[in-house]
Amino acid sequence: MAVVFGGRSGEHDVSCHSAESVLANLDRDRYDIVPVRITRDGIWRVGDEGDELLTGPDDLWRSMAGAVDLLRTVDVVFPVLHGAYGEDGTIQSLLEIAAIPYVGNGVIASAVGMDKEFTKKILAADGLPVARSVVLHARERGADVSIPMAEVRGLGLPVFVKPARSGSSLGVSKVASWDDLADAVAAALAVDSKVLIEEGVIGREVDLGVLEHPDGRLEAGPPLEIRVTDGHTFFDYDAKYEDTATEFDIPAHLDADLTAQLQDYAVRVFESLGCAGLLRIDFFLRDGVHPVVNEVNTFPGFTAASQYPQMWQAAGLTFAALLDVLIATALARAELRSLAPPTMSRIGR
């Protein structure tokens, strides 16, 4: 099995931390593991290859071709990648073309789940509650963009300004005054050329994870409520990765009916987006009781301290056992695809 991590996105460090935990928890008696690290410059490093400077386009293509040759010899790839060029369908497309089985979501679910605009549109079309938002498009990242203030003011204050295709809360701002909106949009445009201005949903923040088992059964884990310290107004990057005082309540203190509703919604989101393997769904509870889908994460953080593994730990599934399920599901799905006629798409459920 190959574990691929790193990558060219702003979440490179997060990916490396996730991979460190995955590699530490894989059963070495069961799996023969080859680590494959993608540098910030896009160079693929197999095993213990060194860090000599290779940044030219020829170096990139040679390194990737060599890595793909290696990946075609393994039974399954575990892509522990977050953000652009990893979680957005990019590497999934490469693996599909090379007919290499892999853990997690396919091309379409990864691409749609990474784009908050299209996630909202698909979920809303399937009758799932999402927050209202206004989408801004720039010609390129960092460019200026016109803000339709009449439309934006209709969202009320506060609003959240987000890059549409980024994770780990990179470039996300909470805006409590319209005077601060332009700076927040500029910060988001530094990360992505498409930006969402989203209504602030006042209420509790609760996450759920969905896990697909090898027989195709979908299971929603226990709800997790996020409680940030007074130094943070929302669950931003520092609260996620730097502030050890951030706390998770697992299971969240919710009544049985609300928990069941959230679990039902989580599975519906998984199916609506055509997911495979795993998904984390982040909800807001408007006024503490009405679920609103905030975002989805097609490959959530995978350190021992991350929400997704902690949810399943609380459900009685250890980190190592969770990895076993994900790998077994990937192999089972690959086996099903191998029985399909050659003309059938390998993407999706």
Side-chain angles (χ1 to χ4, degrees), residues 136 138 140-145 184-195:
L136 308 180
E140 59 184 9
R141 198 170 73 178
D144 292 331
V145 65
V185 169
L189 285 170
V191 177
D192 189 9
S193 61
K194 181 160 69 167
V195 169

Side-chain angles (χ1 to χ4, degrees), residues 14 167-173 226-248 305 307:
V14 179
S168 293
S169 296
L170 294 170
V172 178
S173 303
I226 299 166
R227 291 194 290 114
V228 298
T229 61
D230 292 339
H232 301 277
T233 59
F234 67 100
F235 195 39
D236 59 10
Y237 186 94
D238 287 341
K240 288 180 179 180
Y241 303 113
E242 306 295 339
D243 191 345
T244 57
T246 297
E247 295 181 357
F248 301 142
Q307 294 107 291

Side-chain angles (χ1 to χ4, degrees), residues 88-89 92-93 96 102 104-111 274-276 333 347-348:
D88 59 356
Q92 291 79 9
S93 178
E96 291 280 353
Y102 57 93
N105 287 286
V107 176
I108 294 175
S110 297
C275 292
R333 291 177 62 87
I347 302 172

Side-chain angles (χ1 to χ4, degrees), residues 55-66:
T55 58
D58 291 342
D59 296 327
L60 188 153
W61 285 109
R62 278 197 300 270
S63 72
M64 186 168 67

Side-chain angles (χ1 to χ4, degrees), residues 260-277:
Q261 182 183 23
L262 286 167
Q263 290 176 325
D264 175 66
Y265 276 6
V267 171
R268 285 177 59 189
V269 170
F270 188 101
E271 294 178 326
S272 181
L273 299 178
C275 292

